[in-house]
Amino acid sequence: MTLTDRARDWLGHDPDPTTRDELAGLIADADRSRPGALAALADRFAGPLEFGTAGLRGPVGAGQSRMNVAVVTRATAGVARHLLDTVGADARVVVGCDARHGSSAFRDAALEVLSGAGLRALALPARLPTPVTAYAVRALDADAGIMITASHNPPADNGYKVYLGGRAADPDGRGVQIVPPADAQIAARIADAPPADAVPRSTEHVEPVADEVVEAYVSRMASHRRDPEPSRVRVVLTAMHGVGGATALRVLDAARITDVHVVTAQADPDPDFPTVAFPNPEEPGALDLALALAADVDADVVIALDPDADRCSVAIPQADRTWRQLTGDELGALLGDQAARDDSRPGTTLACSIVSSRLLGRIAQAHGLRGVTTLTGFKWIARAPDLRFGYEEAIGYCTDPQAVRDKDGIGAAVRVVTLVEELAGRGVTLGGRLDELARQHGLHATAQLSIRVDDLSRIRDAMTRLRARPLTVLAGSAVIESVDLSVGSPDLPPTDGLMFRTAADDRVIIRPSGTEPKLKCYLEVVFRCDDEVPRAAAADRLARITEALSDAIRL
């Protein structure tokens, strides 16, 4: 079957008139041999979007390789078949969505396919944060959850995330994102699904989720501030054009955190994200508007949510009136230490991903708690037994795992304000607390080197070279430990990555990105310190290691 024949076959089964018109235009351009038309069509049929542990994610548009109603319909048919086989016809599924292009239509398609399969489809209101969906899966004891979101991806993208809960999940995975073998099992059922227009759809078993569930989420997150008096902390909040703003304000108000100044230009959902080059709080320039407002109102802290509000970034004022954006590892250490002091029961777990700082493990040890390191992603972090707190360096924090077994930027925001209040009571800032932790456990400074490629084979070649000729020295310190993470260990399943540790206790982890065409390097240097915290020296050593890695990788 030729490319245009495959495209016409897809066109004949596409239930969405918008993408049908788009695809018909692409086919017509190819038939007329217009320059670039055949390549554009081939890009739409490069193969199905791969369904994995992150579900689906890709640009919105017509064709097999895009996010659209047809793809979501077949994906949901596969999820429904999996639940029918593993749970039964009485399975219950919560469905939510953000405000990206296509989100509402994809949500409706998912609900109708689940209903058409005879399952109970529980519809959350549209345009809500991802943590609300994760909360609802556990609160309603649903057997699964589907969230339509691409989180902090570029504006052109959308995605489809799956949680398993209730009878469909193992005890440690209730309300957690899918992991193997469930992802492969669902992918196989998607591959066996009929064309989109042949998948049964109905509204018979679609039930709106009661407002009380969202209210319960708001109350639960607000309850983490226990002080009955109004907070004195002045907050600047940005929702980054996403869906977190309204819910975050409700939570903060319920927690009596009322001195909140919103970045109005970024407050309302807008799928085009017009004021930022990239809708990720970590990206350079993303917080410019928030920092300007913070300077104007003399704020105590800046809190930035990503577009689906599952991640949270924080910036703090410094003595010279400039602002310092904390790294994901720095905020992870602060919140992990807060959690350890709040709940020091033996057996309690603090968990982070392998590419996150080792400081959390040292904090856990100091408090007599268990420190657990997992593979990257909250699908693994949230499965840690007896979890009290978990984080990943990419500004994701799970501060209330009994309620939300996933990262939650809104819940983290409340914890941040309570920490600012607590520290202020003894005249210490968040930056000051980081210095205290450095004196207790050593300064752990981290950085990242990401190298984007057009040809994925270059990443494979680089990993092959590094395995054949491992690094022997970094920043003048001999490498004393080299670990090929693809072999696996008693503590970690196999994953494509390499770890190098030096005599100075510096560490580098190199791995291909699971979601982007990038090779990622995670750097950490450790300095023992007494009074002075040598941040400048740490930054210099990180720069030297970054330069050495760039030379060694040669992409």
Side-chain angles (χ1 to χ4, degrees):
M1 185 181 289
T2 67
L3 172 61
T4 52
D5 286 341
R6 285 195 291 128
R8 287 190 178 93
D9 181 67
W10 182 275
L11 176 65
H13 296 292
D14 188 341
D16 183 354
T18 300
T19 46
R20 278 203 310 270
D21 289 346
E22 181 186 348
L23 185 54
L26 291 170
I27 294 170
D29 287 346
D31 287 341
R32 297 186 189 103
S33 299
R34 290 188 172 174
L38 204 59
L41 193 62
D43 187 50
R44 303 301 183 100
F45 290 89
L49 286 181
E50 183 177 346
F51 188 93
T53 51
L56 298 168
R57 194 169 289 186
V60 175
Q64 178 193 48
S65 306
R66 295 288 190 269
M67 282 293 298
N68 50 61
V69 169
V71 166
V72 168
T73 295
R74 297 188 72 246
T76 309
V79 171
R81 184 71 262 168
H82 177 77
L83 292 171
L84 285 167
D85 292 344
T86 58
V87 175
D90 60 341
R92 303 160 68 244
V93 186
V94 175
V95 182
C97 74
D98 65 12
R100 282 180 173 264
H101 291 296
S103 284
S104 291
F106 300 163
R107 165 186 170 271
D108 292 345
L111 288 165
E112 291 173 14
V113 170
L114 294 167
S115 175
L119 306 182
R120 292 178 62 191
L122 309 179
L124 281 165
R127 298 156 66 103
L128 281 177
T130 292
V132 175
T133 299
Y135 173 83
V137 173
R138 290 176 68 87
L140 297 173
D141 197 25
D143 298 298
I146 295 170
M147 180 65 191
I148 307 297
T149 181
S151 191
H152 55 282
N153 270 40
D157 288 1
N158 212 326
Y160 182 103
K161 181 185 293 189
V162 178
Y163 300 86
L164 292 181
R167 295 164 293 173
D170 59 88
D172 289 327
R174 193 170 66 87
V176 183
Q177 297 173 51
I178 55 171
V179 296
D183 58 342
Q185 293 166 351
I186 294 172
R189 288 168 171 88
I190 294 171
D192 291 339
D197 63 340
V199 174
R201 291 172 61 167
S202 82
T203 58
E204 181 181 357
H205 303 292
V206 176
E207 306 171 17
V209 172
D211 292 341
E212 285 79 4
V213 174
V214 180
E215 292 290 344
Y217 169 83
V218 169
S219 297
R220 175 79 184 211
M221 295 306 111
S223 71
H224 298 307
R225 181 176 182 270
R226 302 183 184 94
D227 191 334
E229 297 299 318
S231 174
R232 296 182 179 181
V233 176
R234 180 167 296 163
V235 179
V236 162
L237 174 71
T238 176
M240 205 66 64
H241 297 294
V243 294
T247 304
L249 287 173
R250 290 177 62 189
V251 169
L252 294 173
D253 185 68
R256 298 167 299 285
I257 302 167
T258 55
D259 193 355
V260 180
H261 300 257
V262 175
V263 179
T264 55
Q266 298 174 336
D268 296 327
D270 187 331
D272 293 320
F273 306 103
T275 69
V276 290
F278 200 96
N280 180 350
E282 294 179 291
E283 290 292 319
L287 294 194
D288 284 356
L289 292 178
L291 296 179
L293 177 59
D296 286 345
V297 302
D298 194 23
D300 298 304
V301 65
V302 170
I303 295 173
L305 304 175
D306 76 336
D308 69 329
D310 67 345
R311 305 193 315 152
C312 170
S313 185
V314 166
I316 56 176
Q318 303 193 94
D320 62 0
R321 301 184 67 82
T322 61
W323 285 82
R324 170 185 172 188
Q325 185 173 2
L326 302 182
T327 69
D329 283 317
E330 287 175 330
L331 187 54
L334 289 167
L335 293 176
D337 173 68
Q338 179 190 47
R341 289 183 287 107
D342 283 350
D343 187 353
S344 57
R345 291 172 298 165
T348 296
T349 298
L350 307 183
C352 64
S353 65
I354 189 172
V355 299
S356 302
S357 172
R358 289 165 288 172
L359 177 55
L360 186 71
R362 287 161 185 173
I363 290 171
Q365 183 179 26
H367 287 272
L369 308 180
R370 181 168 51 218
V372 171
T373 301
T374 75
L375 294 184
T376 55
F378 261 85
K379 56 187 175 282
W380 300 111
I381 295 168
R383 279 183 160 75
D386 302 310
L387 183 65
R388 171 59 183 84
F389 170 79
Y391 95 95
E392 61 183 359
E393 48 74 40
I395 61 172
Y397 311 96
C398 177
T399 62
D400 185 2
Q402 296 306 309
V404 178
R405 204 79 171 185
D406 199 0
K407 52 190 179 290
D408 181 354
I410 296 173
V414 176
R415 300 282 193 179
V416 167
V417 175
T418 63
L419 184 56
V420 171
E421 289 177 315
E422 172 201 336
L423 294 174
R426 58 185 185 89
V428 178
T429 64
L430 292 183
R433 182 58 185 156
L434 284 170
D435 287 347
E436 291 178 347
L437 291 173
R439 295 184 189 102
Q440 287 177 270
H441 309 290
L443 171 62
H444 292 63
T446 59
Q448 208 184 114
L449 170 65
S450 293
I451 305 172
R452 183 179 289 272
V453 300
D454 296 323
D455 182 357
L456 289 175
S457 67
R458 295 173 62 195
I459 291 178
R460 291 193 294 272
D461 292 345
M463 295 297 290
T464 299
R465 286 197 305 271
L466 287 167
R467 286 188 167 99
R469 296 187 296 278
L471 301 173
T472 58
V473 63
L474 287 168
S477 183
V479 173
I480 60 172
E481 183 181 15
S482 299
V483 179
D484 187 343
L485 300 174
S486 68
V487 176
S489 71
D491 299 320
L492 290 173
T495 187
D496 187 8
L498 297 166
M499 187 276 285
F500 303 98
R501 187 173 65 85
T502 73
D505 202 23
D506 300 338
R507 187 190 70 174
V508 170
I509 294 177
I510 304 171
R511 60 180 280 270
S513 170
T515 57
E516 300 176 277
K518 287 182 177 180
L519 185 67
K520 290 191 170 184
C521 307
Y522 302 85
L523 291 58
E524 181 176 38
V525 299
V526 181
F527 281 75
R528 301 300 168 191
C529 51
D530 296 316
D531 292 334
E532 182 182 355
V533 179
R535 296 194 181 277
D540 177 69
R541 201 149 88 194
L542 285 170
R544 291 166 59 199
I545 293 175
T546 298
E547 183 178 2
L549 282 176
S550 298
D551 291 342
I553 292 169
R554 301 192 312 277
L555 276 181

